[in-house]
Amino acid sequence: MAVILELAVQGAQMALVLLLAPLLTGFVRKVKARLLRRQGPSLIQPYRDLLRLMRKEVVLADNASWLFRVTPYLIFATTWVGAALIPTFAAGLTFSWTADLIAIVALLGSARFFLALAGMDVGTSFGGIGSSREVMIASLAEPAMLLIVFSLALVAGATQLSTVAAFMGSPEVGLRVSLGMSLIALVMVAIAENARIPVDNPSTHLELTMVHEAMVLEYSGRHLAMIEFAAFLKLLLYVSLISCVFLPWGLASAGAGLESLAPGVVAYVGKLAVCGVLLAVFETAIAKMRVFRVPDFLGAALMLALLGTLLLFVSRSL
Amino acid sequence: MISGAAVLLWGVAALLGTAVLAIAESRRSDSGTRLIYGLTLGISAAVLMVLASRIADNPVTPSTVVLPLGLPWIGAHFRLDALSTFFLIVVNFGGSMASLYGLGYGRHESAPHRVLPFFPAFLAGMNLVVVADDAFTFLLSWEFMSLASWALVMAHHREQDNARAGYIYLVMASFGTLALLLAFGLLAGSDGTYTFDAMRAADPTPFAAAFVLVLMLLGAGSKAGLVPLHVWLPLAHPAAPSHVSALMSGVMTKVAVYGFIRVIFDLLGEPAWWSGVAVLFLGGLTAVLGILYALMEKDLKRLLAYSTIENIGVIFVSLGLALAFKANAMPSAAALALTAALFHVLNHSFFKSLLFFGAGAVLTATGERDMEKLGGLIHRMPFTSFAFLVGCVAISALPPFNGFVSEWLAFQAILQSPDLPQWGLKVMVPAVGGLLALSAALAAACFVKAFGITFLGRPRSAAVELAHEVDRYSLAAMFILAALCLLAGILPGLVIDGLSSVTLPLIGSRMPVQMAQPWLSIVPIAASRSSYNGLLVFLFIAFSASAAAYVIHRFASHALRRGPAWGCGFLDVVPSSQYTAVSFAQPIRRVFGTFVFRARETVEMPAPGETGPARLNVEMHDVIWETLYLPIGRALDFATDHLNHLQFLTIRRYLTLVFLFLIVLLLVLALWP
């Protein structure tokens, strides 16, 4: 009985991230529009977009291969698995030990690998430009992310997210310089990974300035729906990650009863909202930078993360 | 009951017999090719069976054989223990796969009499290095292995650049053996005991131990491809026929790693803590530089060879960690790091063989190694491209494949390192961790490029349009390796438990038993700290992907229309307008290349009104070659030019020189403390 219940909670988490992901993106868009004194699309517009895309026919380039058609499902699946493995409303779920934070980062790397390949499949210059820039951004963002993971792991003594979250919620954390650096670096990485301003513009229509959108230029219909959905999930994944590690309050602890799950869900939705507003404010306040300024931006994240890790090697209490 | 070592020596004898047979057989090219590769396949598979049954019984009991060969007062000693068993499995598995591949690939060989005799000899040499139990046998086998592989590199000696590759390889191999010779000389001490048993028992002074470490880094490192001794590797490995390239990259570099582990972990005794720093530094440098070179490359096989250098760096980083932990009496962490290194040895032998086989298949089908002339092969070679894709994902350290597991173990080992007491290590380890992460990310970029430019997009030359899928033997070898890449990734516990018998005698500790973990997870220390379950990750991805596909195909529109690609209103019909290998690497070249390669881009614009094309010139320098090797070459030239006079002296002057030299020698002896 207990096993079924645990599996049900795990299933609920998988369903929850799936349900909330488009809403989060819709929310960020709405807040951004309101900040610009526009009305903005409704909150459920992303769901409508997904449904509309699914109903449309796919226009496939003449020389697209099987890889091009399989990739959307692979990207969606890996991102979904990654998002579902991060503690959202409760820590220590049944399968939370399947992959630790390093593995989750690598899962996102798998998704990106296939997306970059799909960008090159048709053989247009736009796909190539997107893929080559994406791997350049990733080659800086991924090491920064892993160094952040190192810092967290050194502080909490684990790379297992449930353990990290539990530790961060306990009073022994205190204020640490290294964690502050990690937080800033993590936010920078999250912005780059999710193709947000100032690294990339999710709503641009000028192909030469795009990174993510240039890679998926050839996608349409249900394939595009899957890719869009994966992008929504990725944003949710990073917000969940930041809130689970740095705002661990309200997270139902491992083995807690069903009654503590409801406040966990409420707290989770609240955290999403706060992070969404912050993201929207940040994006409105800043301009997109040139592609070759991005290495500086990510280099700063890398250095911050490295500094945080080095501090922890010097003294465990910093 | 015949001992394991004896079985292995019979296997080596059979391989050498095959080599002799090949000299006679290679004239009859097609049936001879089949016979020789069939024989090597059979022999290495049989040896593999025997070894696999041995690694199963834990702990492995060493078996020894002494033959009355070699130096009369020592004889030739052979010993098969857990470490050599593991490496022999790598060697013979790689050998059997290369033979299987050769059954098909070898038929396209233009000069079989230059390949067939040396192929079994090369395999025999690698086997002998790993079982040798005295310095003399070890060095002799090492040279035999080097020369056999050199002969294979020179198989197509008339092709451009191959002669130069062979020459540089020969020079570097001799240099490496010289370093090994000196290292064994130091280990043997003044009484000259050349058996490994005596060296194990001897206790070298810290000074001698330091020298042995440096010499091993030079000797084994040059064979493995450690930066800056790697220069021969990207020239020589691609020059050989592809299945030999696979053996050289996937297996021979591992034999060099074996030599390093055997001497440093086994023979030398307790390491000093700074030896970890040196190995970590070289490993991190090798990993990042190797993959950056690979990213700049447009020749598919050279790209793979450079990526081998990166993987050797990853292995040496783990070995350096193991040394640091061992020196500080942290056996469980040392066992974790050494397991990560050995796991990566196995993984790299799988996916690098697979990738070289794939490159060989492309070469057979199109006659091209230059990626700028390839493209769109996924339509014409579907099976090869699938297997190659698996290799690319695995080597990029992406879950759920095997490359990720060994990198993950290395990261877990790095996270153990704040407990190290020395400051040098405390600062070095996180920096190397960052380098390791950087090289993993760059590897993914590199293999997106390798697969994307070669197999995706539109064909860039007429040869590609006529390409056909390769033969069944080659495909079988590639698919077996691809399956193993996945299997080792989703059942890493099996490999880790198998490696425990190797780490136990070297470190005195082992990783916890993994196969007993629930759901076959791997848990290096404790489940609350870190765990990874490749099987579940694989099943989750498979489940979610098929669920998504099912839902889409059940409820969403099925309509699909083929149309021309969207070029934003501009119809580009020329395949050369696609992204190329060089342009794909441009963003990364701009970020890292200005520093590492002194890369410069200049644009030549035609004057207004002229119809000539604008040109983008990219200038890059191989900084290591130019700052290290060219000056050495110039110094040698200078010295030989000036010493040339010595050839033309009169007899009186020669006698004076001899006399003066004698006096100098006597003076040195008199002044020596």
Side-chain angles (χ1 to χ4, degrees):
Chain A
M1 194 55 210
V3 177
I4 296 174
L5 197 65
E6 281 177 7
L7 283 178
V9 175
Q10 180 75 50
Q13 155 126 330
M14 290 193 85
L16 183 75
V17 291
L18 214 52
L19 281 177
L20 282 181
L23 185 66
L24 176 65
T25 304
F27 178 69
V28 174
R29 285 184 193 158
K30 183 80 178 172
V31 176
K32 263 175 87 173
R34 294 303 300 159
L35 284 171
L36 301 171
R37 317 276 329 234
R38 285 192 286 116
Q39 192 61 45
S42 106
L43 276 182
I44 57 165
Q45 189 58 40
Y47 298 96
R48 287 193 200 134
D49 287 345
L50 287 180
L51 286 178
R52 175 176 53 88
L53 283 173
M54 283 188 195
R55 280 200 297 269
K56 289 207 162 198
E57 72 167 351
V58 170
V59 182
L60 208 57
D62 284 325
N63 63 332
S65 66
W66 59 266
L67 186 69
F68 191 78
R69 299 174 67 171
V70 172
T71 296
Y73 303 104
L74 276 181
I75 293 170
F76 172 76
T78 36
T79 320
W80 187 20
V81 171
L85 286 172
I86 289 183
T88 53
F89 58 90
L93 292 184
T94 322
F95 288 119
S96 63
W97 41 262
T98 303
D100 64 352
L101 192 45
I102 299 177
I104 292 173
V105 173
L107 266 177
L108 292 178
S110 301
R112 173 177 25 241
F113 187 87
F114 281 100
L115 189 61
L117 283 184
M120 301 176 75
D121 186 51
V122 176
T124 59
S125 311
F126 292 115
I129 205 173
S131 296
S132 70
R133 287 177 177 179
E134 173 80 5
V135 297
M136 181 266 283
I137 292 173
S139 69
L140 288 165
E142 259 181 32
M145 187 66 202
L146 270 172
L147 285 169
I148 296 163
V149 176
F150 284 179
S151 299
L152 294 179
L154 293 176
V155 171
T159 51
Q160 203 65 283
L161 263 177
S162 293
T163 317
V164 174
F167 179 85
M168 299 298 272
S170 69
E172 49 187 309
V173 185
L175 273 178
R176 290 171 191 249
V177 187
S178 54
L179 282 184
M181 289 178 172
S182 305
L183 176 59
I184 299 172
L186 181 56
V187 170
M188 290 164 95
V189 170
I191 285 169
E193 288 272 359
N194 283 294
R196 312 296 303 192
I197 296 173
V199 173
D200 193 4
N201 188 351
S203 55
T204 182
H205 291 287
L206 190 62
E207 290 85 352
L208 283 175
T209 63
M210 307 189 295
V211 178
H212 181 264
E213 297 297 316
M215 266 192 298
V216 303
L217 196 64
E218 282 301 324
Y219 275 112
S220 56
R222 53 183 186 270
H223 295 154
L224 185 60
M226 284 285 101
I227 290 199
E228 292 275 303
F229 211 152
F232 298 158
L233 273 169
K234 197 171 175 186
L235 181 64
L236 182 88
L237 185 154
Y238 270 95
V239 173
S240 309
L241 178 63
I242 293 172
S243 50
C244 134
V245 175
F246 291 99
L247 313 164
W249 305 291
L251 199 64
S253 57
L258 275 182
E259 62 283 357
S260 65
L261 293 183
V265 174
V266 174
Y268 177 59
V269 175
K271 288 182 230 171
L272 288 187
V274 171
C275 292
V277 171
L278 286 177
L279 176 62
V281 171
F282 179 75
E283 282 202 302
T284 342
I286 204 161
K288 187 185 171 305
M289 50 172 82
R290 286 174 55 219
V291 167
F292 286 102
R293 287 281 309 284
V294 172
D296 300 344
F297 178 79
L298 283 169
L302 187 65
M303 283 304 123
L304 271 177
L306 182 63
L307 212 58
T309 315
L310 275 174
L311 278 180
L312 283 168
F313 268 82
V314 172
S315 158
R316 296 298 280 274
S317 61
L318 277 172
Chain B
M1 175 71 186
I2 181 165
S3 77
V7 173
L8 201 95
L9 290 178
W10 280 114
V12 169
L15 284 173
L16 289 175
T18 314
V20 175
L21 181 67
I23 300 173
E25 277 294 321
S26 57
R27 295 285 162 213
R28 304 187 301 140
S29 71
D30 212 23
S31 61
T33 304
R34 283 214 189 153
L35 176 71
I36 300 305
Y37 287 123
L39 277 174
T40 50
L41 173 62
I43 296 165
S44 42
V47 171
L48 200 62
M49 292 293 170
V50 176
L51 294 168
S53 65
R54 278 176 57 82
I55 199 103
D57 53 310
N58 203 352
V60 176
T61 42
S63 68
T64 54
V65 171
V66 182
L67 293 181
L69 299 169
L71 294 185
W73 62 96
I74 331 177
H77 296 248
F78 300 98
R79 183 160 172 271
L80 189 64
D81 60 1
L83 180 66
S84 40
T85 306
F86 168 71
F87 276 92
L88 281 171
I89 287 177
V90 172
V91 168
N92 285 299
F93 182 73
S96 54
M97 285 299 114
S99 311
L100 180 59
Y101 182 81
L103 277 173
Y105 182 79
R107 275 182 299 175
H108 309 287
E109 179 60 56
S110 55
H113 57 288
R114 294 186 199 279
V115 176
L116 287 180
F118 300 111
F119 181 78
F122 180 38
L123 271 180
M126 291 196 286
N127 273 310
L128 276 178
V129 172
V130 182
V131 278
D133 196 34
D134 66 77
F136 183 76
T137 317
F138 185 94
L139 287 171
L140 201 67
S141 324
W142 184 277
E143 271 303 86
F144 188 71
M145 167 181 89
S146 297
L147 287 177
S149 57
W150 174 79
L152 289 165
V153 167
M154 294 298 281
H156 300 156
H157 61 106
R158 284 185 212 285
E159 271 173 39
Q160 203 189 353
D161 292 342
N162 279 9
R164 176 169 175 262
Y167 175 66
I168 294 179
Y169 178 31
L170 203 59
V171 171
M172 290 304 288
S174 318
F175 169 74
T177 313
L178 175 68
L180 286 182
L181 183 73
L182 295 177
F184 281 121
L186 278 173
L187 278 169
S190 49
D191 40 341
T193 46
Y194 285 103
T195 58
F196 283 178
D197 270 338
M199 291 181 186
R200 217 170 271 132
D203 198 19
T205 60
F207 195 62
F211 261 106
V212 169
L213 179 78
V214 172
L215 287 169
M216 281 313 291
L217 281 174
L218 290 177
S222 70
K223 188 59 105 193
L226 275 185
V227 170
L229 303 165
H230 66 282
V231 284
W232 63 274
L233 197 151
L235 302 173
H237 285 195
S242 294
H243 58 307
V244 179
S245 309
L247 269 187
M248 290 179 78
S249 256
V251 179
M252 189 174 69
T253 53
K254 307 308 172 307
V255 175
V257 171
Y258 162 81
F260 185 80
I261 296 179
R262 173 63 78 198
V263 171
I264 301 298
F265 283 81
D266 189 15
L267 303 185
L268 196 56
E270 278 306 303
W273 69 268
W274 57 261
S275 58
V277 178
V279 178
L280 273 171
F281 174 74
L282 279 179
L285 189 73
T286 305
V288 172
L289 283 182
I291 199 66
L292 276 175
Y293 274 106
L295 261 166
M296 298 303 135
E297 198 51 60
K298 58 181 182 177
D299 177 321
L300 186 56
K301 284 180 82 175
R302 284 186 65 166
L303 180 146
L304 293 176
Y306 273 123
S307 133
T308 295
I309 297 174
E310 182 238 340
N311 282 281
I312 288 297
V314 173
I315 292 169
F316 270 84
V317 165
S318 299
L319 287 179
L321 281 172
L323 273 179
F325 289 129
K326 192 183 178 195
N328 284 301
M330 295 163 69
S332 58
L336 172 60
L338 188 59
T339 308
L342 295 176
F343 203 151
H344 202 76
V345 164
L346 187 68
N347 287 343
H348 185 244
S349 79
F350 288 164
F351 44 62
K352 192 45 64 71
S353 300
L354 167 57
L355 290 171
F356 264 116
F357 291 167
V362 171
L363 191 59
T364 317
T366 64
E368 275 300 339
R369 270 164 45 178
D370 186 354
M371 289 195 282
E372 311 283 44
K373 299 203 176 87
L374 297 169
L377 282 172
I378 194 169
H379 300 287
R380 284 157 192 85
M381 306 173 75
F383 297 110
T384 303
S385 59
F386 181 78
F388 199 87
L389 179 63
V390 171
C392 287
V393 180
I395 201 171
S396 305
L398 297 174
F401 287 90
N402 57 352
F404 173 69
V405 182
S406 41
E407 295 243 359
W408 186 81
L409 288 173
F411 285 132
Q412 295 300 334
I414 286 176
L415 290 175
Q416 301 289 304
S417 53
D419 299 333
L420 292 167
Q422 293 90 3
W423 280 99
L425 283 168
K426 270 180 190 287
V427 177
M428 186 54 106
V429 171
V432 169
L435 288 182
L436 202 59
L438 182 65
S439 69
L442 288 173
C446 177
F447 282 93
V448 166
K449 169 179 139 170
F451 189 82
I453 303 289
T454 312
F455 289 95
L456 302 180
R458 287 173 284 164
R460 292 182 181 83
S461 69
V464 177
E465 314 236 19
L466 301 172
H468 287 291
E469 188 56 274
V470 286
D471 57 279
R472 264 177 274 163
Y473 292 112
S474 310
L475 286 179
M478 284 191 268
F479 272 87
I480 291 173
L481 286 166
L484 281 172
C485 283
L486 182 64
L487 266 183
I490 60 179
L491 295 173
L494 264 180
V495 182
I496 295 176
D497 284 353
L499 288 173
S500 64
S501 60
V502 184
T503 59
L504 208 51
L506 292 179
I507 304 278
S509 175
R510 51 165 294 172
M511 279 180 67
V513 178
Q514 302 292 330
M515 287 310 276
Q517 292 290 340
W519 296 88
L520 303 175
S521 292
I522 51 169
V523 179
I525 305 122
S528 63
R529 286 185 69 126
S530 55
S531 61
Y532 168 68
N533 190 323
L535 182 63
L536 278 183
V537 167
F538 175 66
L539 289 180
F540 283 167
I541 293 176
F543 165 76
S544 335
S546 29
Y550 173 76
V551 169
I552 291 281
H553 282 243
R554 183 81 183 70
F555 299 107
S557 151
H558 288 244
L560 189 142
R561 179 158 57 87
R562 289 275 181 176
W566 168 237
C568 298
F570 172 72
L571 210 59
D572 62 341
V573 278
V574 208
S576 61
S577 70
Q578 293 175 88
Y579 252 55
T580 60
V582 173
S583 52
F584 186 85
Q586 185 243 16
I588 290 181
R589 190 175 66 227
R590 282 226 185 146
V591 177
F592 299 97
T594 46
F595 174 63
V596 180
F597 303 108
R598 287 197 241 130
R600 271 238 165 77
E601 289 176 9
T602 44
V603 183
E604 278 173 28
M605 287 299 274
E610 264 181 51
T611 49
R615 285 189 185 283
L616 172 72
N617 295 321
V618 180
E619 184 195 333
M620 288 213 285
H621 297 269
D622 188 339
V623 176
I624 293 172
W625 180 256
E626 284 169 15
T627 54
L628 190 63
Y629 287 86
L630 285 186
I632 292 179
R634 276 197 291 271
L636 273 179
D637 279 348
F638 179 82
T640 41
D641 269 356
H642 287 77
L643 289 176
N644 201 14
H645 301 300
L646 287 180
Q647 272 191 319
F648 308 105
L649 299 186
T650 59
I651 189 85
R652 276 172 297 133
R653 291 198 174 171
Y654 276 127
L655 284 175
T656 326
L657 272 182
V658 171
F659 182 67
L660 282 177
F661 194 69
L662 253 177
I663 289 179
V664 171
L665 271 185
L666 286 172
L667 271 177
V668 168
L669 269 182
L671 295 175
W672 195 261

